[in-house]
Amino acid sequence: FNDLRKPDVKSWTLMISGYAQHGLGEEGLKLFQQMQQESVQPDEVTFISVLKVCARMAALEHGKRIHADIIKGGFESDTLVGSTLVDMY
């Protein structure tokens, strides 16, 4: 991952999801923050992955900030994102 010149949103999402699946949610959240700092725009799959991390970790404050990002990005009408938000809350 670090060897990629400029990882795209799919690469970032894959890494976040991988961390989440292996019980490394904190690392997944850090990676999501790094992704945003590098101006890579999350897509609906990214949001679903990171919301699942928040739900597993009971990280409500992180989840609320991500929910605000979802609204700003216009993803609140996506059915899967909405369903994952319900699970997270």
Side-chain angles (χ1 to χ4, degrees), residues 54-70:
C54 291
R56 287 185 190 126
M57 294 177 55
L60 186 58
E61 291 307 312
H62 284 289
K64 287 179 179 180
R65 286 193 291 276
I66 293 163
H67 189 177
D69 291 338
I70 289 168

Side-chain angles (χ1 to χ4, degrees), residues 32-51:
F32 179 70
Q33 290 170 346
Q34 182 182 350
M35 175 183 148
Q36 290 181 307
Q37 289 169 354
E38 295 193 19
S39 299
V40 176
Q41 297 301 314
D43 63 11
E44 60 271 58
V45 179
T46 311
F47 283 125
I48 290 166
S49 296
V50 77
L51 285 171

